[in-house]
Amino acid sequence: MGNKVLMKGTEAIGEAAVRADCQCFFGYPITPQTEVAAYMAKKMPKLGRAFVQAESEVAAINMVYGAAGTGVRCMTSSSSPGISLMAEGISYLAGAELPCLIINIVRGGPGLGSIQAAQSDYFQATKGGGHGDYNMPVFAPSSVQEMVDLIQDAFDVADLYRTPSMVMGDGMLGQMMEPVEFREREPRRLPEKDWAATGLLGRTKHNVINSLYLEPEELEQHNTRLQAKYKTIQENETRYELFHCDRENDLILVAYGTTSRICKNVIKAAEKDGIKLGLVRPITLWPFPDQAFEETVTRTKFGYLSVEMSAGQMVEDVRLAVNGRKPIDFYGRTGGMVPHPDDILARVKQMVLEGVSLWH
Amino acid sequence: MALTFEKTKGLTDVPTHYCPGCTHGIIHRLIAEVIEELGVLDKTIGVAPVGCAVLAYDYFSCDMFEASHGRAPAVATGIKRAKPDSVVFTYQGDGDLAAIGTAEVVHAATRGEKITTVFVNNAIYGMTGGQMAPTTLPGQVTETSPYGRDTQLAGFPIRVSEMISTLEGACYVERVSVDSVKNVLKTKKAIKKAFEYQLAGKGFSMVEVLSTCPTNWGLSPTEAMGWLRENMIPYYSLGVKKDIAGEVK
């Protein structure tokens, strides 16, 4: 308790998952997160738990489907192209309502892209990715400490709502070393997994893990139930941080993960020029924190500036939340480039001092 | 009155959706009987494929999974690693296992996953309506090989059992057929042996069952049995392809 250790992001993910009682890890090597698998390969066998290096991300996510269906905590970890390969499996997990944790340490795309940090999987993570009407809780930590804390939360939310959940960082969070503390916490009250296919073990009726409903009426009912569940998740599990939003601001920045940390530095630097900035930091990307905008929309003179390491994928959600009440602008870098605080500040000044909006 | 026949407890009472004359029903029953006879119904978990047997999860009375197309061996791997004391089997057709799921079955076998795969080979895609499978024979007419499978354009049928038998992780591989009473009994014996090897923790076991598809072959059930004997068995030779017990001796 209270012991801080210096750890690399990817290894901290592994340790946090081990402490969250993850019983099985299935993965396939891909930069920049392979250290998660390496960490688990070292740890899991010593604890009598399972580590399997799969033949592909497709196989890895289906191994997760198998293990999750038996009711044990399990996970996989990958990076963008690997998550694309898992998309079908994630849809099956959502359809069969199986709890598990999926880590995505995002790298630049599209295609093989690069191995540098990016946030260009926002659409994929929050708008489906796989086929069908489903959502999945997506947690976006901004530090190694928060990543560690959110892994426990993501497992709990997965179990509580019978859903896959994702912790999405970027290559920078995965590779950086920061002090972390593994905090003992009160466990959340979680339901019995009486649906799990464990073998009958004395049960008279068999349990079936399935996402097939051939009758349209039945599939619609299933979807209606899923949508009701997603609404409950939206109501109960939305998370965000408001930074310097308890004042009248010239402009409010919107950023998550690594870019939110850069934005906090920009806010400090802007003070010297007499510009007041706030920050809305979504911690859950889905559900998106609409409420954060209700709380801040009257406290920003020039509206919002979404800062991302993508071509503006989060802007759509900001627009829906603000719903035309204030202008919304965007600054971003792509391809694995990280926004520089000076460039963000220059963009802020154009908006606040010159009233110039460059993005439509 | 003395009880002369009782349906195995390994099957549910749900009527199957299979076409008249289809051999899936026979193979389901053999697996279910083996599970019951080995006394492992309580700890068996089955994985159904995508294909004609997609609804197999309704027919087996043990706990079941429905996997995505071809991924049953990966799903089974996850199940077995999570619950090592369970008995895990996959039930897969030739499109599922030998086309889209080739990587999964090969790697489950080479890892020596302690699971049993029942591979039902009828040389055609059944559920989608009779398209060419990786196991379709040279010259065989299907919806997507309307002039007969041309090996210059569509390549050659895969002998899965022979391929899997080359892998160290596979402990028992046998090809059987359900075209006659004698062969049905042999099939049951092979399936039982495959489960026994799993129970003994020896590694990956697979039984390839040559079966018929009267509907998509355009033959009567009886003609289909004859077609299997005359065309499939010469290409897909019956017998044990690998048995590590034999090797040890």
Side-chain angles (χ1 to χ4, degrees):
Chain A
M1 286 293 287
N3 279 340
K4 284 206 167 180
V5 287
L6 194 62
M7 265 187 125
K8 194 173 177 175
T10 42
E11 292 179 341
I13 290 170
E15 183 58 29
V18 165
R19 286 171 188 251
D21 196 33
C22 176
Q23 294 292 321
C24 300
F25 179 95
F26 308 99
Y28 185 83
I30 181 169
T31 308
Q33 61 73 56
T34 307
E35 300 92 332
V36 182
Y39 192 86
M40 296 307 255
K42 228 183 291 171
K43 281 271 169 162
M44 297 292 268
K46 289 192 174 166
L47 296 166
R49 305 185 193 179
F51 168 88
V52 180
Q53 180 168 326
E55 60 271 28
S56 68
E57 287 89 349
V58 174
I61 198 71
N62 281 285
M63 291 174 188
V64 167
Y65 180 90
T70 70
V72 306
R73 276 197 168 174
C74 60
M75 69 180 290
T76 186
S77 176
S78 192
S79 179
S80 310
I83 299 290
S84 291
L85 280 171
M86 291 183 184
E88 182 200 35
I90 296 172
S91 170
Y92 275 70
L93 287 159
E97 299 186 85
L98 297 184
C100 64
L101 173 64
I102 299 154
I103 306 283
N104 184 6
I105 301 298
V106 183
R107 58 187 249 187
L112 202 48
S114 78
I115 57 169
Q116 305 300 326
Q119 296 180 323
S120 46
D121 292 356
Y122 182 93
F123 281 156
Q124 187 192 48
T126 63
K127 311 293 178 192
H131 57 282
D133 277 316
Y134 77 90
N135 285 107
M136 144 177 85
V138 180
F139 297 87
S142 65
S143 67
V144 177
Q145 179 66 60
E146 191 176 31
M147 192 145 65
V148 160
D149 295 338
L150 286 178
I151 279 169
Q152 171 82 51
D153 291 336
F155 269 123
D156 286 351
V157 165
D159 280 341
L160 190 54
Y161 299 96
R162 286 191 61 183
T163 175
S165 68
M166 177 178 275
V167 171
M168 190 161 93
D170 55 60
M172 192 166 289
L173 271 176
Q175 295 302 315
M176 66 168 59
M177 284 188 94
E178 284 192 309
V180 285
E181 187 185 336
F182 294 93
R183 299 167 182 141
E184 299 277 336
R185 285 188 295 172
E186 276 294 299
R188 218 166 152 163
R189 276 191 58 190
L190 299 170
E192 283 285 309
K193 293 181 175 178
D194 55 3
W195 47 265
T198 53
L200 292 167
L201 307 175
R203 219 183 321 112
T204 48
K205 198 181 169 304
H206 70 168
N207 281 343
V208 177
I209 303 299
N210 181 32
S211 63
L212 178 67
Y213 296 84
L214 286 174
E215 297 299 329
E217 292 86 354
E218 284 179 24
L219 182 55
E220 187 176 52
Q221 279 169 15
H222 178 54
N223 269 295
T224 304
R225 273 198 312 108
L226 288 178
Q227 291 303 316
K229 176 170 85 175
Y230 298 143
K231 194 159 181 289
T232 311
I233 296 173
Q234 280 174 317
E235 283 162 7
N236 297 343
E237 306 298 339
T238 306
R239 297 183 196 191
Y240 56 94
E241 179 196 358
L242 298 180
F243 182 74
H244 287 205
C245 284
D246 52 352
R247 63 183 186 186
E248 302 303 316
N249 277 308
D250 293 309
L251 184 69
I252 291 179
L253 307 177
V254 188
Y256 68 92
T258 292
T259 46
S260 70
R261 291 174 67 159
I262 300 168
C263 284
K264 285 185 178 175
N265 289 333
V266 172
I267 290 169
K268 216 180 286 170
E271 304 278 346
K272 291 179 199 142
D273 295 309
I275 299 171
K276 283 186 179 158
L277 299 176
L279 172 71
V280 169
R281 179 171 78 89
I283 297 171
T284 51
L285 303 182
W286 190 90
F288 190 72
D290 292 348
Q291 183 59 30
F293 297 87
E294 295 305 318
E295 290 173 31
T296 57
V297 72
T298 58
R299 300 194 141 186
T300 171
K301 198 171 161 195
F302 291 96
Y304 298 88
L305 175 68
S306 186
V307 181
E308 304 174 42
M309 292 192 287
S310 83
Q313 296 187 16
M314 187 171 62
V315 177
E316 290 186 8
D317 284 336
V318 177
R319 275 184 171 163
L320 284 169
V322 174
N323 201 13
R325 286 173 288 180
K326 282 284 160 72
I328 291 153
D329 215 317
F330 166 70
Y331 178 79
R333 299 296 299 271
T334 63
M337 297 297 289
V338 178
H340 195 282
D342 292 349
D343 295 334
I344 300 172
L345 189 57
R347 190 76 194 81
V348 166
K349 284 181 183 170
Q350 278 180 321
M351 290 179 70
V352 173
L353 304 179
E354 299 166 33
V356 178
S357 175
L358 293 179
W359 200 78
H360 302 282
Chain B
M1 211 165 83
L3 186 70
T4 51
F5 177 79
E6 191 180 18
K7 199 179 89 176
T8 169
K9 290 184 176 64
L11 293 176
T12 62
D13 285 328
V14 177
T16 72
H17 69 288
Y18 297 116
C19 302
C22 170
T23 42
H24 271 306
I26 298 172
I27 303 163
H28 280 26
R29 183 173 144 193
L30 297 179
I31 295 169
E33 286 178 354
V34 163
I35 291 169
E36 189 185 3
E37 286 166 20
L38 292 172
V40 294
L41 183 57
D42 218 32
K43 59 173 184 175
T44 297
I45 305 173
V47 186
V50 170
C52 283
V54 68
L55 297 175
Y57 57 80
D58 273 343
Y59 310 144
F60 288 102
S61 61
C62 58
D63 276 2
M64 292 293 294
F65 280 70
E66 165 47 37
S68 58
H69 201 19
R71 316 301 172 210
V75 173
T77 298
I79 297 167
K80 189 75 182 199
R81 297 296 184 112
K83 300 280 175 198
D85 294 335
S86 57
V87 175
V88 182
F89 76 94
T90 72
Y91 188 100
Q92 302 176 259
D94 42 318
D96 191 81
L97 181 140
I100 195 166
T102 313
E104 282 74 16
V105 74
V106 166
H107 285 274
T110 203
R111 281 192 306 267
E113 294 296 340
K114 291 159 190 68
I115 61 172
T116 299
T117 289
V118 178
F119 167 41
V120 180
N121 178 2
N122 61 7
I124 204 159
Y125 280 83
M127 189 178 70
T128 45
Q131 294 77 29
M132 182 179 67
T135 46
T136 291
L137 295 170
Q140 187 182 337
V141 173
T142 71
E143 269 207 342
T144 50
S145 56
Y147 309 112
R149 182 175 186 161
D150 179 348
T151 55
Q152 290 307 303
L153 296 173
F156 297 86
I158 301 177
R159 292 183 179 96
V160 173
S161 288
E162 284 79 352
M163 180 173 74
I164 295 294
S165 69
T166 66
L167 302 169
E168 296 292 327
C171 64
Y172 175 69
V173 181
E174 181 169 355
R175 185 182 288 119
V176 291
S177 167
V178 285
D179 65 297
S180 65
V181 174
K182 193 175 141 215
N183 278 339
V184 166
L185 294 174
K186 272 190 177 174
T187 298
K188 182 171 174 183
K189 230 175 122 186
I191 292 170
K192 194 167 200 173
K193 196 163 180 187
F195 272 79
E196 282 168 347
Y197 273 51
Q198 177 183 168
L199 282 163
K202 289 184 193 290
F204 178 82
S205 57
M206 187 180 86
V207 178
E208 176 177 346
V209 186
L210 300 185
S211 65
T212 63
C213 182
T215 300
N216 288 301
W217 290 358
L219 300 171
S220 74
T222 316
E223 287 167 345
M225 292 299 186
W227 194 90
L228 184 161
R229 269 190 293 273
E230 286 155 31
N231 298 281
M232 290 186 74
I233 293 177
Y235 192 93
Y236 298 113
S237 64
L238 302 182
V240 176
K241 306 298 170 186
K242 177 150 190 192
D243 185 346
I244 56 163
E247 284 172 17
V248 171
K249 278 173 198 167

